[in-house]
């Protein structure tokens, strides 16, 4: 498992998240395409067959339909690690307007299946909405308990779990409140994981950057984002954890890229922690690709160029060299 962690954190590379289900349907619609499994497969083939993808991407997170459609094979041929999203999405938590991640019931059987299909790592995402009263302590406890149970089951199966406690961008909260909540959630995640005997050196944390809510009217510069994000991680991530990857969380591709660049630059001396940092973007890596393609074969090369251009920028940012 440690070998997989190291491969995923390879210098100058990062992880492509391609596992979205609801979001991708909306993104297809936004460019005038009706989502079908066949068209989704074509789109993923366009992404994965991009020339030189393996120079930028160490691992790809697939979803259930994609791995079963054989898309992992293209990645394996390129030496890219195959990952799989294993959470079952969100459900209402205790009749509140908070949401909790489901999917533990049949996880053990699914893991065996995914391993057979070539997966070596997995992802489980939980979300935390910020308001004056949220996230509630009840949600934090129950959702992190499920996440730790997931991580333990995955490790017992010989796979590497990515744990993703995403603090949502939606809302009018300040940067300070985002830092407070992110610190609280991530710190508690590792306490609960330890209690459940999860091996903290054989997992990867997928973290959100610390930024103010998208309705706060406040714009923060990348230097401020990098300081508050690294301070948050320093105050919440135990030293055994080897790798942290960032989600883009609805930031524009440029914002996510510039913020990543400042974060990795500030972390070069490793004075905040000894972990390696990289990206695991979905939306920020794929921005513009679908609209360049719009389902037409004659546009594949053009769409792959858009994708490659972003991959190059994000990989420079991953090294603090943008
Ligand atoms: P975004 O980069 O679009 O936030 O997606 C990352 C992800 O994998 C969400 O689970």
């Amino acid at each position: 498992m440690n070998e997989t962690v190291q491969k995923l954190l390879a210098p100058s590379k990062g992880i492509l998240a391609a596992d979205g289900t609801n979001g991708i349907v909306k993104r297809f619609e936004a460019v005038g395409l009706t989502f079908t499994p066949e068209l989704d497969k074509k789109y993923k083939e366009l992404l994965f067959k991009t020339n030189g993808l393996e120079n930028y991407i160490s691992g790809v997170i697939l979803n259930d339909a994609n791995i079963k459609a054989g898309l992992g094979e293209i990645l394996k041929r390129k030496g890219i690690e195959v990952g799989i999203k294993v959470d079952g999405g969100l459900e209402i938590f205790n009749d509140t307007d908070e949401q909790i991640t489901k999917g533990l019931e049949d996880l053990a059987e699914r893991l065996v299946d995914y391993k057979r299909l070539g997966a070596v790592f997995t992802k489980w995402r939980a979300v935390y909405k910020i308001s004056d009263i949220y996230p509630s302590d009840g949600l934090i406890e129950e959702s992190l308990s499920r996440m730790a149970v997931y991580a333990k089951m995955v490790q017992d199966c010989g796979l590497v779990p990515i744990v993703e406690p995403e603090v949502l961008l939606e809302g009018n909260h300040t940067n300070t409140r985002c830092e407070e909540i992110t610190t609280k959630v991530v710190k508690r995640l590792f306490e609960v994981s330890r209690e459940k005997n999860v091996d903290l050196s054989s997992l990867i944390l997928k973290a959100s950057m610390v930024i103010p809510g998208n309705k706060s009217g406040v714009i923060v510069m990348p230097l401020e984002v990098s300081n508050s994000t690294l301070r948050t991680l320093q105050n919440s991530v135990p030293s055994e954890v080897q790798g942290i990857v960032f989600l883009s969380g609805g930031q524009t591709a440029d914002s996510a890229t510039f913020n990543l660049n400042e974060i990795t630059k500030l972390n070069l001396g490793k004075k905040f922690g000894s972990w390696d940092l990289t990206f695991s973007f979905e939306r920020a890596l794929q921005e513009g690709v679908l609209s360049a393609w719009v389902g037409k074969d004659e546009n594949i090369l053009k769409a792959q160029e858009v994708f490659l251009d972003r991959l190059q920028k994000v990989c420079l940012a991953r090294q603090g060299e943008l």
Side-chain angles (χ1 to χ4, degrees):
M1 286 186 281
N2 268 321
E3 201 183 312
T4 304
V5 171
Q6 289 315 320
K7 278 190 190 156
L8 290 171
L9 299 171
S12 82
K13 297 186 192 179
I15 297 172
L16 167 67
D19 58 288
T21 42
N22 299 336
I24 183 101
V25 174
K26 287 191 202 129
R27 292 203 296 280
F28 265 58
E29 281 167 4
V31 298
L33 290 173
T34 304
F35 181 91
T36 63
E38 295 72 32
L39 205 57
D40 181 43
K41 186 170 182 226
K42 274 192 160 186
Y43 175 59
K44 299 292 164 53
E45 281 173 352
L46 176 161
L47 294 178
F48 303 163
K49 288 184 176 169
T50 297
N51 219 347
L53 182 72
E54 65 279 15
N55 299 326
Y56 307 98
I57 293 297
S58 55
V60 174
I61 312 171
L62 301 173
N63 61 32
D64 181 79
N66 289 167
I67 201 168
K68 288 180 176 159
L71 286 163
E73 296 307 317
I74 305 174
L75 302 170
K76 278 201 274 177
R77 281 199 292 275
K78 293 186 166 207
I80 296 173
E81 305 297 315
V82 177
I84 176 79
K85 187 261 295 270
V86 302
D87 65 69
L90 303 169
E91 61 186 355
I92 304 281
F93 176 62
N94 280 354
D95 288 331
T96 64
D97 24 347
E98 289 190 291
Q99 290 184 302
I100 189 159
T101 308
K102 60 181 179 180
L104 283 180
E105 308 70 36
D106 56 348
L107 181 58
E109 301 94 84
R110 288 190 292 127
L111 288 176
V112 174
D113 246 18
Y114 292 143
K115 195 172 172 177
R116 192 177 45 79
L117 291 167
V120 294
F121 74 105
T122 66
K123 183 189 88 171
W124 178 282
R125 170 179 179 254
V127 295
Y128 304 93
K129 169 167 85 170
I130 300 186
S131 73
D132 293 345
I133 54 167
Y134 295 137
S136 65
D137 286 344
L139 174 81
I140 292 176
E141 283 307 305
E142 176 59 22
S143 116
L144 294 181
S145 164
R146 291 185 191 183
M147 189 177 275
V149 168
Y150 140 81
K152 178 75 178 124
M153 286 171 77
V154 170
Q155 288 180 341
D156 286 348
C157 201
L159 307 174
V160 169
I162 292 185
V163 286
E164 183 185 14
E166 177 174 355
V167 174
L168 296 173
L169 184 63
E170 287 73 33
N172 56 13
H173 49 274
T174 61
N175 210 33
T176 309
R177 177 108 171 112
C178 182
E179 177 167 344
E180 176 204 334
I181 297 299
T182 310
T183 307
K184 178 175 173 174
V185 168
V186 175
K187 205 170 171 182
R188 190 70 192 128
L189 164 64
F190 288 114
E191 286 168 1
V192 177
S193 298
R194 255 194 230 287
E195 286 162 20
K196 298 200 188 296
N197 297 317
V198 175
D199 174 2
L200 303 191
S201 65
S202 299
L203 57 70
I204 290 179
L205 170 67
K206 181 156 174 168
S208 19
M209 297 178 189
V210 173
I211 31 184
N214 59 0
K215 297 195 183 76
S216 65
V218 179
I219 304 214
V220 286
M221 291 294 117
L223 188 60
E224 194 178 338
V225 174
S226 63
N227 270 298
S228 49
T229 302
L230 287 173
R231 193 168 54 225
T232 298
L233 296 173
Q234 184 177 35
N235 290 330
S236 58
V237 182
S239 57
E240 297 101 299
V241 175
Q242 298 184 27
I244 302 175
V245 297
F246 289 102
L247 58 99
S248 58
Q251 301 180 69
T252 63
D254 277 343
S255 295
T257 308
F258 286 126
N259 286 335
L260 177 71
N261 189 55
E262 284 306 316
I263 292 173
T264 52
K265 213 156 66 178
L266 192 61
N267 190 51
L268 279 179
K270 299 223 167 156
K271 54 184 185 292
F272 293 89
S274 57
W275 4 266
D276 286 317
L277 299 178
T278 188
F279 60 88
S280 174
F281 296 162
E282 174 149 16
R283 284 163 286 179
L285 275 178
Q286 297 177 44
E287 194 179 276
V289 182
L290 259 182
S291 49
W293 175 52
V294 289
K296 298 203 171 101
D297 285 351
E298 63 267 33
N299 293 337
I300 288 179
L301 278 178
K302 193 173 74 182
Q304 287 175 330
E305 271 168 31
V306 173
F307 185 41
L308 267 176
D309 182 58
R310 180 55 60 183
L311 284 166
Q312 280 158 3
K313 287 186 180 133
V314 173
C315 285
L316 283 175
R318 183 255 187 263
Q319 302 165 85
E321 287 174 5
L322 193 64

